[in-house]
Structure formats: C-alpha cells, structure tokens
Amino acid sequence: LEKRPAAAPTSFPLASTLRIGIVHARWNTECIDALVKGSVDSLLKSGVKKENIHIESVPGSWELPHGTSRMIAASQIQASSAATDLMGATSLLDGEDSKPESQTSSGPLDAIISIGVLIKGSTMHFEYISEACVHGLMRIGLDTNVPVILGVLTALTEEQAKQRSGIGANAHNHGEDWGTAAVEMASKTKG
Ligand code: RBF
C-alpha cells in the first residue's frame, strides 16, 4: 500500500489566490530542508504563487505550536490594521528568516504547514515533545479555523526520517503531500 493520499477528486482553482504559511523547526536540518522544499514545490505545482508563500522557522518542534499561532495572528493583525498600525504589526513578522521573503505579499494566511522532525532518543523527550506538539497544532487549527497541516515526522530512527523526507532510494517526500493538503483545505475553507 502506498503511504500517501489518493489525489483529490477535484481541482482547486482558488490556488493562485491562496496565502500559505510554512513554519519549520531547525532540528535535523537535512530532512527539514528536503521537506520544506517538497512542500514549496508542490504548492507551486498546485498553482500557489511564490510571493504568497511565507516561510519562518523556530528552534525545535516544541516551539512549532507557538510559531504557528503567532504567524497566523500576525497575518491577521496585519490584514485588519489601518495603514498607521501597519509598521508595528509587520515588525511581528520581521524575524531573521522572513527577510529573504521580503517580496512576499501580506494578508491573512489561508493555511499553514508546520514542519518538524522528531527522532526518538534514549529518554522520554520524544514522547513528550511529539504529543504536546501535535495536540497544540490541532488545537490551533480548530480554534482559529485556519487549516493547520501536520508536517511533523515522529521517526524511530534517522533512517525512517530520511525515507519520509525523500532522501535515498525508494524514499517519498511527505512535504509534497503537505503542500497539496494545504491547498485543498485552504480552498475548502475559503470557498
Ligand atoms: N526538536 C526537534 O524538532 N526534533 C528533535 O528530535 C528534538 N529532540 C530533542 C531532544 C532533547 C533531549 C531535547 C532537550 C530537545 C529536543 N528538541 C528536538 C528540541 C525541542 O523541540 C525544543 O526546541 C527545546 O526543548 C527548547 O524548548
């Protein structure tokens, strides 16, 4: 059985109007870089415009819910502020990471992909971080009504993490599925 979803039965013509956020952790960067790239490539392939993709990072997966929540809130404050407030609001988004993205458009995000790679170690950290992280992300999606795509790999070994990041023979990059899931869920929520 293929470990990926079947294609959606319809296409999503709204894609070119969608604003999509990506927030990623910085642990296990080889996998993270591949997953972010896979997500961006599939967003572009689905018709999302480059300038409508916003990318930020947080230290680790534990910080993903906070980063996700903050990015959604900042995009909404920015959209509803009067011009005079805009400077203050945009400074919320002015992390180091957003600088290369300064060509991006502003406005409320229609979906956000939260990407992290957790690899089990010899202590209980993996269990605590993964559980808190995925529950936090689900809560944010339901509370804000902005679809949050779960881009968190919880791998038992580095090998498993690489396989699911599209690194090596017979590997599949799950980031590609997260891109199409974001477009589908954003289109359904917006349309
Ligand atoms: N963050 C990840 O994104 N992936 C990991 O595999 C990971 N493993 C960790 C293992 C230990 C023992 C610790 C202390 C932290 C780990 N973190 C990991 C970082 C965590 O998500 C968070 O950034 C830090 O705990 C700071 O709040």
Side-chain angles (χ1 to χ4, degrees):
L1 287 175
E2 286 209 82
K3 290 201 174 86
R4 68 193 76 172
T10 54
S11 64
F12 301 104
L14 276 180
S16 67
T17 70
L18 298 175
R19 251 181 218 98
I20 310 289
I22 294 177
V23 55
H24 68 84
R26 298 191 303 267
W27 276 63
N28 308 305
T29 48
E30 188 185 354
C31 293
I32 292 283
D33 290 350
L35 292 165
V36 171
K37 185 175 185 306
S39 301
V40 169
D41 287 349
S42 91
L43 288 172
L44 294 173
K45 210 172 140 195
S46 304
V48 177
K49 292 188 177 143
K50 190 163 183 268
E51 64 266 29
N52 289 338
I53 302 173
H54 299 247
I55 304 177
E56 284 200 36
S57 75
V58 290
S61 296
W62 176 260
E63 283 75 32
L64 276 177
H66 192 267
T68 301
S69 173
R70 171 185 162 282
M71 216 174 154
I72 291 171
S75 78
Q76 294 173 344
I77 292 166
Q78 204 179 25
S80 63
S81 300
T84 44
D85 292 341
L86 215 61
M87 294 265 283
T90 45
S91 69
L92 284 172
L93 277 169
D94 271 353
E96 286 237 329
D97 315 300
S98 61
K99 276 181 192 139
E101 308 293 320
S102 57
Q103 304 299 344
T104 56
S105 64
S106 62
L109 293 174
D110 298 302
I112 187 160
I113 307 172
S114 306
I115 299 177
V117 175
L118 285 153
I119 300 176
K120 189 168 169 59
S122 50
T123 68
M124 289 297 289
H125 245 78
F126 173 83
E127 282 78 3
Y128 287 119
I129 298 176
S130 37
E131 179 147 1
C133 176
V134 299
H135 282 162
L137 292 175
M138 176 59 90
R139 182 155 66 80
I140 293 161
L142 296 175
D143 286 354
T144 62
N145 205 32
V146 175
V148 173
I149 303 304
L150 182 64
V152 179
L153 297 182
T154 53
L156 300 179
T157 63
E158 199 179 311
E159 190 53 38
Q160 277 186 347
K162 284 186 177 169
Q163 267 233 323
R164 285 152 183 77
S165 308
I167 300 167
N170 296 322
H172 170 61
N173 188 329
H174 283 260
E176 292 164 14
D177 307 329
W178 303 336
T180 53
V183 170
E184 174 172 349
M185 295 309 292
S187 297
K188 286 176 171 170
T189 305
K190 201 173 187 177

